[in-house]
Amino acid sequence: MNYRHAFHAGNFADVVKHSVLALIVEHLKKKDKAFRVIDTHAGVGAYDLSSGPAQRTGEWREGIGRLLDAGFSPEVATLLKPWLDVVRGENPSGSVARYPGSPLLVRRLLRPQDRLTAIELHPQDANALKALFAGDFQVRVIELDGWLALGAHVPPKEKRGLVLVDPPFEEDGEFERMVDGLSKAWARWPGGTYALWYPLKHRKAVDAMRRALKASGIPKILDVALAIRPSSPEPRLDGCGMVVVNPPFTLKRDCETLFAALAPVLAEDGGGNWSAEWLAGEAA
Ligand SMILES: C[S@@+](CC[C@H](N)C(=O)[O-])C[C@H]1O[C@@H](n2cnc3c(N)ncnc32)[C@H](O)[C@@H]1O
C-alpha cells in the first residue's frame, strides 16, 4: 500500500468524484427515511493543501483551485452548491487550505437520521479517520480491507443508501476486482446505489471493465467520465470516471450539465471531453 491520497487531494479527479458523490447523497435526502453511506476506501477525511504532500505536488491548484474562481451558470452553480458549501465551510477564511475527502464530505451532508461507515486499510490513515470522527455516533470507522467490507457490510440495516468504492488503482487487476466486488455486493443488495471511481489511464482496461459490466446482468448502470486531455500515448491519468449502479434518475442529466461546464475549466489548454452513457438499463 504505497498510495497516499494526500499528494492528490483536491485534484481534478477529486473534483469529478466529489461533485458526483454530493449529487447522489443529496438525492438520497429527498426521502425522510434514513440511509447509510459505506465508503470502502475512505482515506483520512481531511487534507491540508497549504503544506506537506498536497502543497508539494500542487495538483489541487488544477482541481478545486480552478473551481472556486470559475463563473458558472445558475444551473451549474446549483448542482455544485452542496459540495462547494462543504468545501467553503471547511475554509471560513476564504482561500482553500483544508480539503474535505469523501468521508468528511458525506458526513457534512448527512441528516441526523443518516449514518456513515468509513473503511480504510492503512493503519495510520484509519487512525487519523478515527480521530477525525471521535465521539461522532453517526460515523463508524473500521480498519479493514475495503474489498472484504464490500462483501460483508451490505446490505446495511437501513436498507437504503450508497456504497462508494474508490481504490487507489496501484495494483494490477483492480478493474477486475472492482467488477467482481460490485457483482457480489449487488447480488446481496440489488437495491443499493453503488458509485465506483476509476482512472482513464489504461484505456484497454477501461474498455474491458465496461464490457464486463455490460455482461454482468446488473440491470441499471450509468457510466460518466471526464478527460482533461486527449488519450496520451503512454499511460497517464488523462481523466477519470464513475460507474453508478442504481443512480438517481436525475443523475445522467445532471452530469451532462455539470461535465459540460467542468470539462473546459479542468482541462489542459481548455480542451477536455466528457461522456455520460448507460452501460445497462434505460436507453443502453
Ligand atoms: C483514492 S484514496 C481514497 C480517497 C477518498 N475516497 C476520498 O475521496 O477522499 C484510496 C484509499 O484507499 C486506501 N486503501 C488501499 N487499499 C485498501 C483496501 N484494500 N481497503 C481499504 N482501503 C484501502 C488507501 O490507503 C487510500 O487511503
Side-chain angles (χ1 to χ4, degrees), residues 1-5 8-9 14 17-18 21 39-47 99-104 119-123 125 142 144-148 164-171 174 177 197:
M1 273 201 309
N2 296 320
Y3 181 90
R4 316 299 294 140
H5 195 65
H8 313 291
D14 266 5
K17 182 202 316 170
H18 295 151
L21 174 61
D39 190 341
T40 62
H41 295 72
V44 299
Y47 299 90
Y99 184 75
S102 53
L104 187 57
I119 318 276
E120 169 59 51
L121 187 59
H122 196 290
D125 290 2
I142 310 174
L144 181 68
D145 185 332
W147 299 113
L148 287 179
L164 172 68
V165 184
D166 181 24
F169 282 91
E170 61 179 4
E171 288 166 19
E174 294 272 68
R177 220 172 177 188
W197 182 92

Side-chain angles (χ1 to χ4, degrees), residues 32-83:
D32 287 340
K33 195 171 179 302
F35 62 83
R36 181 175 297 262
V37 177
I38 300 172
D39 190 341
T40 62
H41 295 72
V44 299
Y47 299 90
D48 179 6
L49 302 181
S50 67
S51 66
Q55 195 260 343
R56 284 211 295 284
T57 63
E59 284 188 22
W60 68 271
R61 294 183 191 283
E62 318 307 331
I64 186 67
R66 288 192 185 181
L67 238 74
L68 295 179
D69 300 331
F72 291 111
S73 70
E75 192 184 2
V76 173
T78 302
L79 293 173
L80 287 169
K81 188 175 186 315
W83 169 52

Side-chain angles (χ1 to χ4, degrees), residues 32-254:
D32 287 340
K33 195 171 179 302
F35 62 83
R36 181 175 297 262
V37 177
I38 300 172
D39 190 341
T40 62
H41 295 72
V44 299
Y47 299 90
D48 179 6
L49 302 181
S50 67
S51 66
Q55 195 260 343
R56 284 211 295 284
T57 63
E59 284 188 22
W60 68 271
R61 294 183 191 283
E62 318 307 331
I64 186 67
R66 288 192 185 181
L67 238 74
L68 295 179
D69 300 331
F72 291 111
S73 70
E75 192 184 2
V76 173
T78 302
L79 293 173
L80 287 169
K81 188 175 186 315
W83 169 52
L84 289 183
D85 279 355
V86 172
V87 178
R88 291 197 178 100
E90 294 298 315
N91 296 279
S93 67
S95 56
V96 209
R98 178 175 150 99
Y99 184 75
S102 53
L104 187 57
L105 167 60
V106 168
R107 176 63 187 97
R108 294 286 185 251
L109 296 175
L110 294 186
R111 306 162 302 179
Q113 67 266 45
D114 306 321
R115 298 290 182 269
L116 166 66
T117 301
I119 318 276
E120 169 59 51
L121 187 59
H122 196 290
Q124 214 176 324
D125 290 2
N127 281 340
L129 205 52
K130 283 179 187 166
L132 181 67
F133 292 120
D136 187 338
F137 72 92
Q138 287 184 250
V139 183
R140 191 168 166 219
V141 177
I142 310 174
E143 184 183 325
L144 181 68
D145 185 332
W147 299 113
L148 287 179
L150 187 55
H153 285 253
V154 299
K157 73 173 188 315
E158 293 79 5
K159 300 274 168 36
R160 261 194 99 214
L162 166 70
V163 182
L164 172 68
V165 184
D166 181 24
F169 282 91
E170 61 179 4
E171 288 166 19
D172 288 345
E174 294 272 68
F175 280 99
E176 291 83 353
R177 220 172 177 188
M178 204 155 89
V179 175
D180 185 53
L182 170 65
S183 300
K184 287 183 178 141
W186 179 81
R188 289 170 63 104
W189 188 30
T193 295
Y194 300 82
L196 303 95
W197 182 92
Y198 64 88
L200 287 175
K201 188 171 179 182
H202 300 279
R203 297 298 173 125
K204 282 187 180 157
V206 174
D207 291 344
M209 175 196 70
R210 288 175 175 156
R211 281 196 303 275
L213 287 169
K214 283 180 186 178
S216 68
I218 299 173
K220 226 175 198 187
I221 312 178
L222 180 66
D223 177 28
V224 296
L226 187 152
I228 58 167
R229 66 177 83 86
S231 262
S232 302
E234 297 299 320
R236 194 176 172 201
L237 188 66
D238 295 323
C240 65
M242 299 274 278
V243 165
V244 189
V245 171
N246 295 326
F249 72 97
T250 46
L251 193 68
K252 181 170 185 286
R253 196 190 58 219
D254 287 349

